[in-house]
Every structure is written in C-alpha cells, then in structure tokens.
Amino acid sequence: MKNLYKNILCVLALGLTVASCENYLDDAPKGSKIPTTLADFEAFIRNEYTNQMVNVEQAINLLNDRYQIPSDLSYNRLTNANYFWDETADRIDLNRADETTYYGQYAGISSFNLLIANVLTTTEATEDQKRIVWAEAKILRAMSYFNLVNFYADTYVASTASTKLAVPLITSADINAPSKQVTIQEMYDFILKDVNEAIPYLPKVSQTALHPNLGAGYAFSARVYLQMNNYTEALKYADLALAENNKLYDWTAFYNENKTFLETPNNYTLLATPMGYDYVENYTYRHGAYNYLRAEYDITVDRSQRFETGDARFLSRWKIRTVGTETYYRRLLSGMFNFGGITTVEVYLIKAECLVRAGQTSEGLAVLNTVRKTRILPESYQDIATADKTTAMNAILKTKNNELIFGLIPFADARRLNAEGVYKVSFSKVKDGQTYSLSSDSHMWTMPFPQGATKNPGNGTITQNVAK
C-alpha cells in the first residue's frame, strides 16, 4: 500500500514542503493517483514507515536508557549533550538537522488531517465504514500531538498550562494552511476533543494492529488524563480499556522455552521478538526509531541494574558483553517492536498508580503484582506488599519504566513527576572517573525545536520553549 500511494503523499510538516503540490487533491501528475475511495484514503493508516513511526531518540538518550558507543557520542554533539547531561551545551545550536521526531510526527498529522477532512465523502463504502476510518485518524492525530507536546513543550501543570506555549497546531492537509503555536492547555483540549469525538465510532476489533480500536481509544484517554494529573478520569478510562483487552504476555514462559539458547555463553544470535504486530498486549501498534526489521537498542550496565532480579523480560532481551574496554548489555531480540503505540501493561500500571494515589494502596499493588507474575521468574517472585504509599509508588514507577523502555512514556512520566515534586526523577553516573548528574528541575527535560522548524515555520511562527 505504501508504494501505491507514495506519489500522492505531499507532506506539510510546518516547513517541510513538496514543490509540485498545491494541496493533496490537486490534479495528479501522470503516473499518480488521486484518492477517491475509502480504501484509497485508509491506505494512509497502513503507511506505517512514515505515518506510524514515533522517534523519541533524544529522550531515550537523556534517560540513558540505551548504550551509546563512544564513536557515536563523539560524532553526534546533540546526542553527547543529552547523554552526559551537559547543561552548558546550546542544544538549539546543536539541533541543526531536520529532526525525525518533529517532522515525522507532523508528516503523520498531515496525513491524518487529510483523512479527517475527506473520508466522510469518499466512495465505495458505507457510512459506518467511513466513520470508523475518520475516528481512527482522529485517534492517531491526537496521539501524534501528544508525542509532540510532551517532547518540545513543558509538561502539563494546570496552573501554568494556559500561559505556556506548546507546539504548532495545524488541522488542514493543505500546503499553505496556517498554523498557530497554541498553549499547552489548548493543545490538551484539542487532543481530548479528538478522542472524545472518535470513541463512539471506534470498532471493538481492529482491522490491523495499526488501526486503533475502542480499547486503544480508552487506553489513550487514560494516558492523557494521567499526564494531566487527573487520576479519577485516568482510572475510569484504564478500567474501560482493560474491559476491552486485559491480556498479558507470559515472559516467564518465553524465557523458559528459550533458556538454553539465552544462557549459552557468548551466544548473541538474535531471536524473533514476540512484541510485534500480533503481541497480545497491543491496543494499537506504532514503530519506534527502528522502523524496519531491526534489533532493539543495547543498554548500559547502570541501566540493567534497575531491573528486578529474575525479570524474565530483561533476561530474554539483553545479555552482558565486553568488547575491548566497553562492557554493556547486548540486545537479543529482532523484529518489530511496539515502542510508539499503546499496550495493556501500560494501562495496568496507570490503574495501579491511580489506585495508590486514591489511598487504595493494597488494591494498586494487587494490579502491579498481576503484571509482575508474568514477568518475574517463580524462584525470584514475591508479592510486593506494603502500606507505605511512597514504597508502593516507587515499585509501580520502576516497573513502568522497565516495561516501556525506549518509548516516550518514561520521559513523559519523569517530567510529570518532577513538576509534581513528590516522586522526583534525577540521575547520576560516573564515566571514566568523572561524575555526571541530571537534576529534576533541569531545563534539559524539554527538548528544543530543530532549527529547520524555527527558521522555516511554514504559514505561522514558532517560539522556542527552552533557552538552550
């Protein structure tokens, strides 16, 4: 499907233009096709390597969730600044490239805008079929805006959300459509409006893993409300999502099935990942930075120490390796990874956090332990049981960071928690005898817009949300 429609995909990404296009529906050049049927438009959702990719690589670097080889750190100065938490670095100056995070999300938004504007008047489909695709595009657009606002703007705080700027908002696929850099509150209002309008029309069963279903709509609502510190609504939608899909993958079984292979010394042959399109935990699937059949990231020794003893998911994904003077944990799985979508485990842990915050600590830990039983090997497993709210919250957040590694949510959660001020996130490490630190109130928790966007903002203006 991707190749069939690549000649009609003219992308506006607030400065990323295609010279031959006045708008998406102008006369097609020879050899191209103008979409008219619902199937023509629906193919944009299947264009997974453009519209369904969520690259948050610099957030992963800031969290030190991946191992970086020294040569890459020397070459990429922006990566080096984030990886070593260099608060003196001018990341605006270093971010000269047309960063994939920004342009990738706006490319998808432009396609989803196209669908929202046109699918209800397409041919060869029933009204119900048209409305489903319209609703799916609304959810995907809202998800993309959520990614942008939680990367390039400060985190949501109710008292300041109406005064701080977010990211440019554009709702048209026309090349010359105007944009406005709205406030954080306006962006969240827009996201929730899209979701609330879409939910009544979402199907219970997805056409493919790329198409959001009703469970995805509820799960994404829970994610948004949690980020807004609205724990009552987040819990409500988490329960609705889990009523649609509450399946958890048994990583202890996967590890035991592959134990001999995984424990063979110096064997780094890759296994096929179970976290692909048909992963039972998927609500909706979106790629991360690696968008083709690839292996996932390696991780540092420091990062490995944040996993629980006996974590079968960890033991199935990484193995320690030393090459020269460098020791790290080498990846063991290859294939597709749902780093940009939504899974049931995230919703379980949203529910657990909301219950603990509501004073239902034992109930929240019961939800957490439901997840852990499918992850921690029986010989290492013990229920986490405590009446202390802080201990319970730390256990939930630790599990969530490990489960959702390489996606946006650990970064978004850290920003949310730092703004709240109760469960602050900060880091410290020693490398080659030097100590590096990232404080919870560092400006580095907000990423700068790429220079290509600020210097060529399309039909609008863009103001940086961070000083450097």
Side-chain angles (χ1 to χ4, degrees), residues 15 64 87 100 113 156 206 217 256 276 291 370 403 436 454 464 466:
N64 274 214
E87 294 194 332
T100 305
N113 285 341
Y156 184 93
S206 299
N256 286 323
N291 56 337
T370 297
E403 287 290 330
Y436 301 90
T454 55
Q464 284 283 4
V466 64

Side-chain angles (χ1 to χ4, degrees), residues 264-285:
T264 301
N266 301 315
N267 180 12
Y268 299 99
T269 306
L270 300 179
L271 289 173
T273 177
M275 295 183 286
Y277 300 113
D278 58 353
Y279 193 42
V280 297
E281 296 183 5
N282 288 345
Y283 287 113
T284 188
Y285 179 100

Side-chain angles (χ1 to χ4, degrees), residues 337-402:
F337 297 87
N338 188 7
F339 293 141
I342 309 179
T343 57
T344 56
V345 69
E346 178 184 348
V347 178
Y348 271 103
L349 297 171
I350 289 174
K351 178 175 181 176
E353 178 178 340
C354 292
L355 287 170
V356 171
R357 286 184 178 275
Q360 299 174 264
T361 302
S362 60
E363 292 85 348
L365 289 176
V367 175
L368 171 64
N369 289 326
T370 297
V371 171
R372 293 178 63 250
K373 286 173 184 174
T374 65
R375 269 58 176 170
I376 309 302
L377 295 172
E379 57 268 30
S380 300
Y381 180 84
Q382 285 187 331
D383 276 348
I384 295 176
T386 179
D388 182 68
K389 181 178 180 180
T390 298
T391 302
M393 280 289 294
N394 287 335
I396 292 165
L397 295 169
K398 175 180 178 178
T399 299
K400 192 177 182 187
N401 285 334
N402 290 337

Side-chain angles (χ1 to χ4, degrees), residues 24 32 84 95 101 161 225 245 284 286 291 335-336 343 345 369 416 441-442:
Y24 280 94
S32 298
F84 287 108
N95 196 6
T101 304
Y225 280 116
N245 179 13
T284 188
R286 302 186 87 178
N291 56 337
M336 298 296 189
T343 57
V345 69
N369 289 326
R416 169 174 65 89
D441 59 355
S442 172

Side-chain angles (χ1 to χ4, degrees), residues 161-305:
S162 296
T163 58
K164 288 188 175 183
L165 287 175
V167 299
L169 175 62
I170 185 167
T171 58
S172 171
D174 289 348
I175 289 297
N176 293 315
S179 66
K180 178 186 177 184
Q181 188 176 3
V182 297
T183 67
I184 295 171
Q185 185 65 58
E186 288 172 320
M187 180 55 72
Y188 272 84
D189 289 344
F190 179 83
I191 288 169
L192 288 173
K193 181 175 182 291
D194 258 2
V195 175
N196 291 334
E197 289 177 350
I199 280 176
Y201 303 101
L202 291 170
K204 291 181 73 67
V205 179
S206 299
Q207 187 174 355
T208 75
L210 302 172
H211 293 71
N213 55 25
L214 182 59
Y218 290 146
F220 179 61
S221 295
R223 175 189 286 181
V224 175
Y225 280 116
L226 183 73
Q227 201 65 29
M228 299 176 73
N229 306 302
N230 187 335
Y231 307 115
T232 300
E233 288 298 296
L235 177 59
K236 167 188 167 183
Y237 281 102
D239 280 332
L240 288 169
L242 292 171
E244 297 295 321
N245 179 13
N246 65 357
K247 295 177 182 176
L248 289 168
Y249 185 77
D250 189 348
W251 279 93
T252 64
F254 179 88
Y255 175 79
N256 286 323
E257 288 167 9
N258 297 282
K259 183 175 181 179
T260 301
F261 180 88
L262 292 167
E263 291 187 350
T264 301
N266 301 315
N267 180 12
Y268 299 99
T269 306
L270 300 179
L271 289 173
T273 177
M275 295 183 286
Y277 300 113
D278 58 353
Y279 193 42
V280 297
E281 296 183 5
N282 288 345
Y283 287 113
T284 188
Y285 179 100
R286 302 186 87 178
H287 293 290
Y290 284 0
N291 56 337
Y292 289 95
L293 286 170
R294 298 287 297 273
E296 59 182 334
Y297 292 126
D298 302 329
I299 64 173
T300 65
V301 174
D302 285 349
R303 184 62 183 86
S304 74
Q305 294 169 353

